[in-house]
Amino acid sequence: MKRDLVGLSEWSQEEIWEVLELGIHLKREMRAGIKHDHILRGKTLAMIFQKPSLRTRVSFEVGMWQLGGYALYLGPEDIKLGQRESVEDVALNLSRYVDGIMARVFAHEVVEELARFATVPVINGLSDLLHPCQALADMLTIWEKKRKLEGLTIAFIGDGNNVANSLIEASAKLGLRFRIACPMGHEPSPRIVGEARSLGAEIEILHAPKEAAKDADVLYTDVWTSMGQEAEAEIRRKKFQGYTVDLDLLSLAKPDCLVMHCLPAHYGEEITYEAARSKNSAIFDQAENRLHAEKAVLALLLGGKV
Ligand code: CP
Ligand code: NVA
């Protein structure tokens, strides 16, 4: 049976830990000069992008190459997913050529549909609802820095978006507490919050950044305007005033609090340059760990170890 990564709610705690452990192992060995190009030798990954990307594209492409496989980039103009051809037909065609599909889409239903019709594994490289690969890399980063996950508190400052939703799913599976401070009307998905709470997770929805930041182990933020919401940018810039991770906010958190951001960052909006470059910042470790976490996902899904 093929396995997909559409969202972390479908993955068990054990499967998530398997990815984190394998990711750390691959990272250590790579740093020691050990090659892993036997793991996916001869395998191919199609990468569909409806939206721009730096980290997702580069980490998946480099990751496939380091594992001995090949990744091909299909940009918005190449296949015009759902316009030139239905999502179902794209999934069925690609499944005859490649061993896996990674897709960055607008509507979450599109990645769900790809997974439903493809006969090869489908990985969500970000949808309007979720960003599971980001959350896996982030958990790997926190674990690396703190040597534990259970019982830690993540304070998310800003929009209850795809990144926040996936962090909630990951926190629920791995035992972290999650607090968000967001403007009214920008809360994370009520369904995802409900599911996380039903697993026993502590999820708090707040509106005051200072309240959320107090004694946090991780201060996390993301852009106020996500890809696809550009028309709302001006309104959002006004609504999100004050939802900025800066050195003052950081001083309310624990002294060893990690400052995290999935990137790209808009310095001076959701995060100041000083906070992003402070000794607490882990933003480029997160970016690096996309590579290691995704290599683990690819090895498990395409290498047949799950
Ligand atoms: N964090 C992240 O997914 O970055 P990209 O949009 O550049 O891929
Ligand atoms: N929330 C952002 C994340 C970018 C990686 C967006 O969807 O644009």
Side-chain angles (χ1 to χ4, degrees), residues 70-302:
Y70 177 77
L72 63 150
Y73 173 76
L74 301 168
E77 291 307 308
D78 291 318
I79 56 172
K80 292 191 175 289
L81 186 63
Q83 294 172 39
R84 183 168 181 266
E85 205 161 359
S86 70
V87 175
E88 175 178 350
D89 277 17
V90 168
L92 291 169
N93 276 271
L94 285 176
S95 298
R96 301 291 179 109
Y97 297 124
V98 298
D99 301 289
I101 299 169
M102 187 278 286
R104 165 165 288 195
V105 301
F106 288 97
H108 184 67
E109 295 70 31
V110 170
V111 70
E112 287 182 328
E113 206 177 335
L114 281 171
R116 189 158 65 248
F117 289 107
T119 55
V120 297
V122 170
I123 300 168
N124 181 356
L126 180 146
S127 65
D128 287 347
L129 185 72
L130 295 173
H131 198 358
C133 296
Q134 183 67 52
L136 286 172
D138 295 341
M139 291 296 147
L140 198 155
T141 306
I142 299 169
W143 185 41
E144 232 181 354
K145 304 258 176 211
K146 302 270 180 210
R147 298 284 152 204
K148 68 168 186 171
L149 291 174
E150 208 173 343
L152 296 180
T153 299
I154 301 184
F156 190 104
I157 310 298
D159 192 18
N161 61 15
N162 42 13
V163 171
N165 287 332
S166 280
L167 286 171
I168 291 172
E169 291 192 344
S171 298
K173 285 281 157 80
L174 300 173
L176 293 91
R177 273 189 294 269
F178 185 95
R179 286 183 206 141
I180 182 168
C182 58
M184 294 280 195
H186 292 276
E187 292 79 10
S189 153
R191 179 180 61 74
I192 290 171
V193 171
E195 279 173 16
R197 285 182 176 150
S198 73
L199 292 175
E202 262 185 68
I203 313 287
E204 268 186 285
I205 317 279
L206 307 167
H207 300 288
K210 286 184 178 159
E211 194 186 343
K214 201 170 175 307
D215 296 326
D217 296 288
V218 173
L219 262 188
Y220 202 115
T221 191
D222 184 14
V223 289
W224 294 338
T225 300
S226 285
M227 291 180 279
Q229 299 171 334
E230 289 77 7
E232 297 169 27
E234 212 31 65
I235 294 175
R236 284 173 169 265
R237 211 167 281 133
K238 290 199 182 94
K239 250 185 146 174
F240 282 82
Q241 280 309 314
Y243 290 86
T244 302
V245 171
D246 58 15
L247 295 180
D248 283 345
L249 200 67
L250 180 58
S251 71
L252 303 175
K254 290 201 180 135
D256 62 350
C257 174
L258 297 177
V259 171
M260 298 181 75
H261 191 313
C262 58
L263 303 177
H266 293 160
Y267 297 122
E269 293 193 4
E270 77 278 0
I271 192 165
T272 61
Y273 185 82
E274 292 71 31
R277 294 293 185 279
S278 69
K279 64 173 179 24
N280 300 65
S281 175
I283 63 176
F284 298 110
D285 300 299
Q286 291 174 259
E288 178 188 344
N289 284 333
R290 292 290 302 274
L291 174 70
H292 307 296
E294 287 158 11
K295 279 166 73 179
V297 170
L298 289 166
L300 293 168
L301 297 192
L302 275 62

